[in-house]
Amino acid sequence: MSLGRILLVEDDVAIVRYLRTVLGHAGYELELAEDGASALSAAAARPPDLVLLDLGLPDMDGQQVLEGLREWTRIPVVVLSARDQERAKVAALDAGADDYLTKPFSTGELMARLRVALRHSPRPGDERGADPAELRVGGLRVELPARRVDVDGREVRLTPIEFRLLVLLMRHPGRVLTHKILLDEVWGPDAVDEPHYVRVHMANLRRKIEVDPSQPRYLLTEQGVGYRFADG
Ligand code: CA
């Protein structure tokens, strides 16, 4: 049984060969597009379960492919970027990419990211609008209507900003949320672009909900990019 169909958008022959081998062995079905235009038409002709998208393509920027996809679909997109493409990677996350891998990446890391992204893949008839009134991960429990947060059975008091940050991250487990996304969602689109705000509130939030804030179980830092809520 196939674990899912992945559309790989990549022009680097060596990476294509490597991914074909490891993804095939792992049980994924792979479709290849070597440039942006064929990626967009392949995705439209037969929507895959996930898109693995290289940012540097021969005919267009990977970012344009992502924007083209996001006009009509929420299919998970995991971006492949080079080490010197930090800005492009953050821009891709802001434009709706689900996650990223920086080349060179390990097979273990690739598999883990794919599993998480596929778990969040929309299923037919899945509205995602049905927000549960309670969010629960490990010993962390959030009752949304009462705005109550418990950690290992003990209630903790959060400020309204901390509460909004926590709920936003918990609703996207395993997904990287950039500083910009967090600022837009928590402070509003008119907020000043100050990643520092996010860091200060995140530090306070960690002190309240993490047993050891220097070794967080829930709120993980993506260096220079943003934050990720631990997935399981
Ligand atoms: Ca490339």
Side-chain angles (χ1 to χ4, degrees):
M1 194 193 82
S2 165
L3 290 180
R5 216 162 53 79
I6 295 177
L7 175 61
L8 171 63
V9 190
E10 172 64 88
D11 60 317
D12 183 322
V13 181
I15 293 180
V16 169
R17 197 181 304 133
Y18 158 71
L19 288 173
R20 222 185 245 298
T21 307
V22 297
L23 295 175
H25 274 292
Y28 291 103
E29 237 182 286
L30 201 64
E31 186 175 351
L32 176 66
E34 292 175 68
D35 58 55
S38 44
L40 286 170
S41 54
R46 200 176 158 217
D49 297 306
L50 181 141
V51 178
L52 202 48
L53 175 65
D54 179 33
L55 288 180
L57 296 170
D59 59 335
M60 63 175 90
D61 205 300
Q63 178 81 11
Q64 290 169 269
V65 177
L66 174 64
E67 285 163 10
L69 289 172
R70 284 294 174 258
E71 281 171 17
W72 63 274
T73 178
R74 291 294 319 159
I75 293 171
V77 176
V78 176
V79 158
L80 302 175
S81 73
R83 214 160 268 298
D84 57 358
Q85 288 179 308
E86 192 74 15
R87 270 161 181 269
K89 179 167 85 185
V90 174
L93 291 164
D94 284 335
D98 293 76
D99 206 346
Y100 67 88
L101 284 157
T102 304
K103 298 175 189 175
F105 45 82
S106 72
T107 306
E109 188 185 9
L110 168 71
M111 295 305 166
R113 299 292 171 86
L114 293 182
R115 275 195 301 274
V116 171
L118 279 165
R119 211 175 304 156
H120 304 141
S121 181
R123 303 264 168 243
D126 173 5
E127 275 306 310
R128 310 234 140 208
D131 279 344
E134 183 183 289
L135 302 170
R136 193 195 279 266
V137 173
L140 183 60
R141 193 172 68 96
V142 177
E143 264 179 68
L144 293 166
R147 304 179 74 84
R148 181 190 160 108
V149 179
D150 289 288
V151 179
D152 301 325
R154 174 181 55 90
E155 183 175 6
V156 291
R157 302 252 171 214
L158 302 186
T159 66
I161 293 274
E162 290 161 3
F163 185 83
R164 286 209 290 278
L165 268 176
L166 178 62
V167 169
L168 182 62
L169 283 154
M170 281 185 89
R171 280 194 170 135
H172 301 91
R175 187 177 156 190
V176 182
L177 298 183
T178 62
H179 294 118
K180 180 175 186 322
I181 290 175
L182 293 168
L183 281 164
D184 283 357
E185 296 290 328
V186 173
W187 280 266
D190 301 327
V192 274
D193 184 17
E194 277 290 356
H196 177 67
Y197 287 3
V198 182
R199 279 189 211 107
V200 169
H201 289 274
M202 198 62 76
N204 292 335
L205 186 54
R206 274 190 178 138
R207 268 197 291 278
K208 293 181 184 180
I209 70 162
E210 299 282 4
V211 173
D212 178 359
S214 67
Q215 302 280 332
R217 283 183 295 173
Y218 303 116
L219 303 167
L220 311 179
T221 300
E222 291 285 319
Q223 214 53 253
V225 175
Y227 296 89
R228 177 200 299 269
F229 196 86
D231 188 77

Short mmCIF file of all heavy atoms in Angstrom, two decimals, residues 55 61 63 66-67 79 85-97 178 180-181 225:
data_model
loop_
_atom_site.label_atom_id
_atom_site.label_comp_id
_atom_site.label_asym_id
_atom_site.label_seq_id
_atom_site.Cartn_x
_atom_site.Cartn_y
_atom_site.Cartn_z
N LEU A 55 13.39 25.30 -4.20
CA LEU A 55 13.17 26.73 -4.43
C LEU A 55 13.88 27.26 -5.67
O LEU A 55 13.48 28.25 -6.25
CB LEU A 55 13.59 27.54 -3.20
CG LEU A 55 12.67 27.43 -1.98
CD1 LEU A 55 13.20 28.28 -0.84
CD2 LEU A 55 11.24 27.83 -2.32
N ASP A 61 10.97 30.80 -10.03
CA ASP A 61 11.30 30.65 -8.63
C ASP A 61 10.32 29.66 -7.99
O ASP A 61 9.14 29.67 -8.32
CB ASP A 61 11.12 32.04 -8.00
CG ASP A 61 11.97 32.18 -6.77
OD1 ASP A 61 11.77 31.38 -5.84
OD2 ASP A 61 12.85 33.06 -6.76
N GLN A 63 9.09 29.86 -5.22
CA GLN A 63 8.10 30.69 -4.54
C GLN A 63 6.88 30.93 -5.44
O GLN A 63 5.74 30.93 -4.97
CB GLN A 63 8.76 32.03 -4.18
CG GLN A 63 7.85 33.04 -3.51
CD GLN A 63 7.67 32.79 -2.02
OE1 GLN A 63 8.36 31.98 -1.43
NE2 GLN A 63 6.72 33.46 -1.41
N LEU A 66 4.76 27.85 -5.44
CA LEU A 66 4.01 27.80 -4.19
C LEU A 66 2.79 28.73 -4.25
O LEU A 66 1.67 28.35 -3.89
CB LEU A 66 4.93 28.20 -3.03
CG LEU A 66 4.28 28.35 -1.66
CD1 LEU A 66 3.71 27.02 -1.17
CD2 LEU A 66 5.29 28.88 -0.65
N GLU A 67 3.02 29.96 -4.72
CA GLU A 67 1.91 30.92 -4.80
C GLU A 67 0.83 30.43 -5.77
O GLU A 67 -0.36 30.58 -5.51
CB GLU A 67 2.43 32.31 -5.18
CG GLU A 67 3.12 32.97 -3.99
CD GLU A 67 4.02 34.15 -4.36
OE1 GLU A 67 3.97 34.60 -5.53
OE2 GLU A 67 4.76 34.62 -3.47
N VAL A 79 9.27 22.66 1.51
CA VAL A 79 10.22 23.34 0.65
C VAL A 79 11.63 22.79 0.87
O VAL A 79 12.01 22.50 2.00
CB VAL A 79 10.14 24.86 0.97
CG1 VAL A 79 11.38 25.58 0.57
CG2 VAL A 79 8.91 25.47 0.32
N GLN A 85 19.81 30.22 1.41
CA GLN A 85 18.49 30.74 0.98
C GLN A 85 17.58 31.03 2.17
O GLN A 85 16.38 30.79 2.10
CB GLN A 85 17.80 29.73 0.06
CG GLN A 85 18.42 29.62 -1.32
CD GLN A 85 17.70 28.60 -2.16
OE1 GLN A 85 17.51 27.46 -1.75
NE2 GLN A 85 17.29 28.99 -3.35
N GLU A 86 18.17 31.54 3.26
CA GLU A 86 17.41 31.78 4.48
C GLU A 86 16.17 32.65 4.23
O GLU A 86 15.07 32.33 4.64
CB GLU A 86 18.32 32.46 5.51
CG GLU A 86 17.75 32.51 6.91
CD GLU A 86 17.77 31.15 7.62
OE1 GLU A 86 18.47 30.24 7.14
OE2 GLU A 86 17.09 31.03 8.63
N ARG A 87 16.35 33.76 3.52
CA ARG A 87 15.24 34.68 3.24
C ARG A 87 14.15 34.01 2.41
O ARG A 87 12.96 34.17 2.69
CB ARG A 87 15.72 35.88 2.44
CG ARG A 87 16.17 37.04 3.27
CD ARG A 87 17.04 37.94 2.39
NE ARG A 87 17.53 39.07 3.16
CZ ARG A 87 16.90 40.23 3.24
NH1 ARG A 87 15.76 40.42 2.57
NH2 ARG A 87 17.37 41.22 3.95
N ALA A 88 14.59 33.26 1.39
CA ALA A 88 13.64 32.59 0.51
C ALA A 88 12.82 31.56 1.29
O ALA A 88 11.62 31.41 1.08
CB ALA A 88 14.38 31.91 -0.63
N LYS A 89 13.48 30.89 2.22
CA LYS A 89 12.82 29.88 3.04
C LYS A 89 11.74 30.52 3.92
O LYS A 89 10.61 30.05 3.98
CB LYS A 89 13.91 29.25 3.91
CG LYS A 89 13.50 28.21 4.85
CD LYS A 89 14.74 27.50 5.37
CE LYS A 89 15.35 28.24 6.54
NZ LYS A 89 16.62 27.63 6.97
N VAL A 90 12.10 31.64 4.55
CA VAL A 90 11.12 32.33 5.41
C VAL A 90 9.97 32.87 4.56
O VAL A 90 8.80 32.76 4.93
CB VAL A 90 11.81 33.46 6.22
CG1 VAL A 90 10.78 34.27 6.98
CG2 VAL A 90 12.83 32.87 7.18
N ALA A 91 10.29 33.42 3.37
CA ALA A 91 9.23 33.93 2.48
C ALA A 91 8.29 32.80 2.08
O ALA A 91 7.07 32.98 2.01
CB ALA A 91 9.85 34.56 1.24
N ALA A 92 8.85 31.61 1.84
CA ALA A 92 8.01 30.46 1.45
C ALA A 92 7.09 30.06 2.60
O ALA A 92 5.90 29.78 2.39
CB ALA A 92 8.89 29.28 1.03
N LEU A 93 7.60 30.07 3.81
CA LEU A 93 6.75 29.73 4.97
C LEU A 93 5.65 30.77 5.13
O LEU A 93 4.50 30.43 5.39
CB LEU A 93 7.60 29.63 6.24
CG LEU A 93 8.56 28.44 6.30
CD1 LEU A 93 9.61 28.64 7.39
CD2 LEU A 93 7.82 27.13 6.53
N ASP A 94 6.01 32.04 4.95
CA ASP A 94 5.00 33.10 5.05
C ASP A 94 3.93 32.95 3.97
O ASP A 94 2.79 33.33 4.17
CB ASP A 94 5.66 34.48 4.93
CG ASP A 94 6.39 34.88 6.21
OD1 ASP A 94 6.02 34.37 7.29
OD2 ASP A 94 7.31 35.70 6.14
N ALA A 95 4.32 32.41 2.81
CA ALA A 95 3.37 32.27 1.69
C ALA A 95 2.57 30.97 1.79
O ALA A 95 1.80 30.65 0.89
CB ALA A 95 4.11 32.32 0.36
N GLY A 96 2.76 30.21 2.87
CA GLY A 96 1.89 29.05 3.07
C GLY A 96 2.56 27.70 2.91
O GLY A 96 1.88 26.68 2.89
N ALA A 97 3.91 27.66 2.83
CA ALA A 97 4.59 26.36 2.86
C ALA A 97 4.40 25.78 4.26
O ALA A 97 4.27 26.52 5.23
CB ALA A 97 6.07 26.51 2.54
N THR A 178 6.42 31.30 11.21
CA THR A 178 7.48 32.31 11.20
C THR A 178 7.11 33.45 12.15
O THR A 178 5.96 33.61 12.55
CB THR A 178 7.65 32.91 9.79
OG1 THR A 178 6.42 33.54 9.43
CG2 THR A 178 7.99 31.83 8.77
N LYS A 180 6.80 36.44 11.35
CA LYS A 180 5.83 37.31 10.68
C LYS A 180 4.41 36.75 10.82
O LYS A 180 3.48 37.50 11.10
CB LYS A 180 6.19 37.45 9.20
CG LYS A 180 5.22 38.33 8.45
CD LYS A 180 5.67 38.55 7.02
CE LYS A 180 4.81 39.56 6.28
NZ LYS A 180 3.39 39.50 6.57
N ILE A 181 4.27 35.44 10.64
CA ILE A 181 2.94 34.83 10.78
C ILE A 181 2.42 35.05 12.20
O ILE A 181 1.26 35.42 12.41
CB ILE A 181 2.99 33.32 10.44
CG1 ILE A 181 3.24 33.12 8.93
CG2 ILE A 181 1.71 32.61 10.87
CD1 ILE A 181 3.43 31.69 8.50
N VAL A 225 14.02 31.66 12.22
CA VAL A 225 12.83 31.49 11.38
C VAL A 225 11.56 31.74 12.19
O VAL A 225 10.72 32.56 11.83
CB VAL A 225 12.80 30.06 10.78
CG1 VAL A 225 11.52 29.84 10.01
CG2 VAL A 225 14.00 29.85 9.87
#
